[in-house]
Amino acid sequence: MMPADNDTLLSIHATGPDSRSTDSQPSDLRQTEVWWSKRYKWLENCGYLLRPRYRPDWIPSWQGTSKEPFTCEDWIRPRYASVLDATRISDGEFVMLKAIRRNDHPFEVEIARYLMSEPLRLDPMNHCVPILDVLAVPEEERDIIVMPLLRRYSDPPFQTFGEAVECIRQLFEGLYFMHRNHVAHRDCMNLNIVMDPKPLFIDPFHPFRVHRTRDLKSTPRHHSRTQRPTKYFFIDFGLSRRYDSSVTNPLEPIIMGGDSTVPEFKSRKPQNPFPTDVYYIGHAIQETFLNEYSALEFIEPLISDMVQDDPSLRPTMEQVVSRLETICQGLGSWKLRSRLTAKKESLLESVFKDIVHWPRRFKYTLRRLPAVPRPRQ
């Protein structure tokens, strides 16, 4: 849903489509893109339209012109072989496609479907990525899951403490939801956390150049999270496991995910993945918020407990959710509406941003927008 830059949308740990060369490879497509191009017509018949770059008869738009290729939309390549954007033909909705080899990740589709099944799908604590469709690739041991077009959860930046608190609340309750339903994510680090951009963005952004509009001509305009509350999701269930409710202490061989700091990775003994999830999400919050912004002392003790080296000393996600609720009850509107100050800001920069923030804060208060912006269920 990687280390990667801010343009990255999804973390992919699955092995991608075959990268072997083919005789019919179009001249400007990467070898890993040919797999998608060959399935253009099939995907179209399934109801999903790839960008012009992947049409069987594609001719680069810059050919025969004075245009620089990088200024053209059809020059842009995906960052991961297994992930590509598309448009749902029925309603024009932008979606993401992820190809999954069943032999490499035999449980991913099953778990994703389970978490979107009734009645789990309707649970307000469910923050697992919606699965819109699952396509079985003909004559291959491979599925394509269709998801909404999502965006890295910390981009655009958070403006207020209330926005940060709401994000943290959703992520904690989302992981608790998974644990309550006997699913361990096993890789819920920063790059596998995304948000729904639709409430925020006025202009559609390009899926692989997220700071540009789809035609690359301008910067996409957006609202703040306080103006238009959004929802956060976990993606990538390639390493996830589901357990029977009777299994109270599952032990799994160590499988390294995207966060190399997990203390359990130093051990060769099988580990319970649920406390490891607690570390993952605690460290993600530490990286995104505590390491980047000032004045978050109110949540530091909880995060410190979550990232303890000894898994047996970490709280459960049920306890984490309860403790966060207690913490939030002690935060007043003044604090929650205050601007998040980045630690790297200079004094002059902080003063300028505070001056800009005050009219915005006054406007939000006048409009009675909640200090903690929760999306409507």
Side-chain angles (χ1 to χ4, degrees):
M1 163 345 324
M2 90 194 183
D5 58 27
N6 287 337
D7 281 352
T8 304
L9 295 179
L10 295 172
S11 170
I12 302 303
H13 297 290
T15 303
D18 296 336
S19 58
R20 294 188 295 271
S21 178
T22 61
D23 295 336
S24 60
Q25 177 179 342
S27 59
D28 287 281
L29 286 184
R30 288 176 175 170
Q31 292 177 357
T32 51
E33 294 179 281
V34 174
W35 187 89
W36 291 102
S37 180
K38 284 185 172 183
R39 287 149 187 82
Y40 182 94
K41 289 294 185 182
W42 172 71
L43 285 167
E44 185 177 20
N45 291 336
C46 291
Y48 302 98
L49 190 66
L50 301 183
R51 285 184 286 123
R53 177 178 178 84
Y54 301 99
R55 290 174 183 162
D57 58 352
W58 172 64
I59 298 175
S61 62
W62 62 88
Q63 284 189 3
T65 73
S66 59
K67 295 178 181 178
E68 292 289 346
F70 65 84
T71 66
C72 301
E73 192 282 330
D74 61 338
W75 177 80
I76 295 176
R77 300 161 176 169
R79 295 183 178 275
Y80 293 90
S82 295
V83 176
L84 194 64
D85 62 296
T87 301
R88 188 165 59 188
I89 296 171
S90 62
D91 57 5
E93 187 80 9
F94 300 127
V95 297
M96 293 298 286
L97 311 178
K98 179 181 178 182
I100 301 168
R101 281 199 181 101
R102 296 169 194 158
N103 290 338
D104 293 335
H105 297 284
F107 306 112
E108 183 163 7
V109 172
E110 174 192 333
I111 289 175
R113 277 176 157 161
Y114 167 67
L115 293 168
M116 283 294 109
S117 64
E118 303 288 355
L120 302 185
R121 183 179 63 86
L122 301 177
D123 192 317
M125 294 182 71
N126 188 344
H127 291 272
C128 301
V129 59
I131 303 300
L132 307 177
D133 203 353
V134 178
L135 310 175
V137 181
E139 301 180 359
E140 292 190 55
E141 287 296 310
R142 199 193 314 262
D143 295 306
I144 295 176
I145 59 173
V146 183
M147 302 168 284
L149 176 63
L150 301 170
R151 188 180 178 101
R152 190 168 180 170
Y153 79 111
S154 56
D155 180 34
F158 296 88
Q159 290 185 354
T160 68
F161 285 92
E163 291 179 358
V165 164
E166 172 58 16
C167 172
I168 296 168
R169 183 194 69 80
Q170 288 191 37
L171 296 180
F172 285 177
E173 77 170 11
L175 191 55
Y176 171 45
F177 164 84
M178 291 184 67
H179 288 190
R180 192 180 65 192
N181 287 287
H182 317 293
V183 176
H185 189 287
R186 304 183 75 196
D187 198 16
C188 48
M189 46 73 139
N190 258 327
L191 298 174
N192 282 334
I193 302 170
V194 294
M195 70 173 181
D196 179 5
K198 289 175 67 176
L200 270 65
F201 279 81
I202 302 167
D203 304 314
F205 56 86
H206 195 282
F208 296 105
R209 293 290 185 274
V210 298
H211 296 131
R212 306 300 294 172
T213 52
R214 289 190 73 89
D215 59 8
L216 306 184
K217 293 181 178 179
S218 60
T219 302
R221 298 168 297 165
H222 61 83
H223 300 286
S224 71
R225 291 168 172 82
T226 301
Q227 291 173 300
R228 302 290 170 85
T230 191
K231 190 170 182 179
Y232 302 90
F233 298 100
F234 291 104
I235 61 171
D236 196 347
F237 304 115
L239 301 182
S240 302
R241 293 293 182 271
R242 179 186 174 191
Y243 303 96
D244 188 89
S245 58
S246 63
V247 180
T248 57
N249 184 36
L251 296 177
E252 293 281 359
I254 297 298
I255 298 180
M256 291 190 66
D259 185 347
S260 60
T261 69
V262 176
E264 287 89 314
F265 292 168
K266 300 174 184 177
S267 172
R268 295 183 179 180
K269 298 179 180 179
Q271 301 285 331
N272 184 334
F274 290 101
T276 304
D277 274 1
V278 175
Y279 178 93
Y280 262 121
I281 193 61
H283 191 235
I285 300 305
Q286 193 174 57
E287 287 184 318
T288 299
F289 295 103
L290 301 188
N291 293 352
E292 296 295 325
Y293 298 103
S294 303
L296 286 164
E297 295 85 359
F298 58 87
I299 201 172
E300 284 183 356
L302 174 56
I303 301 301
S304 294
D305 285 348
M306 295 173 69
V307 298
Q308 293 186 82
D309 285 348
D310 185 346
S312 67
L313 298 178
R314 297 171 198 156
T316 65
M317 285 312 302
E318 181 178 14
Q319 293 168 334
V320 168
V321 168
S322 177
R323 285 178 61 178
L324 180 66
E325 183 178 0
T326 301
I327 291 169
C328 292
Q329 289 172 354
L331 300 175
S333 176
W334 182 272
K335 174 71 172 180
L336 292 168
R337 292 190 185 277
S338 296
R339 185 179 71 86
L340 273 177
T341 303
K343 291 182 177 180
K344 64 181 180 181
E345 287 181 16
S346 65
L347 178 60
L348 183 61
E349 186 180 4
S350 290
V351 170
F352 173 77
K353 289 186 174 180
D354 285 340
I355 292 173
V356 171
H357 179 69
W358 269 102
R360 184 167 56 213
R361 176 176 181 162
F362 178 74
K363 180 177 68 175
Y364 292 168
T365 305
L366 198 64
R367 291 175 56 191
R368 297 184 178 180
L369 297 180
V372 179
R374 292 194 178 191
R376 293 180 180 179
Q377 298 297 333

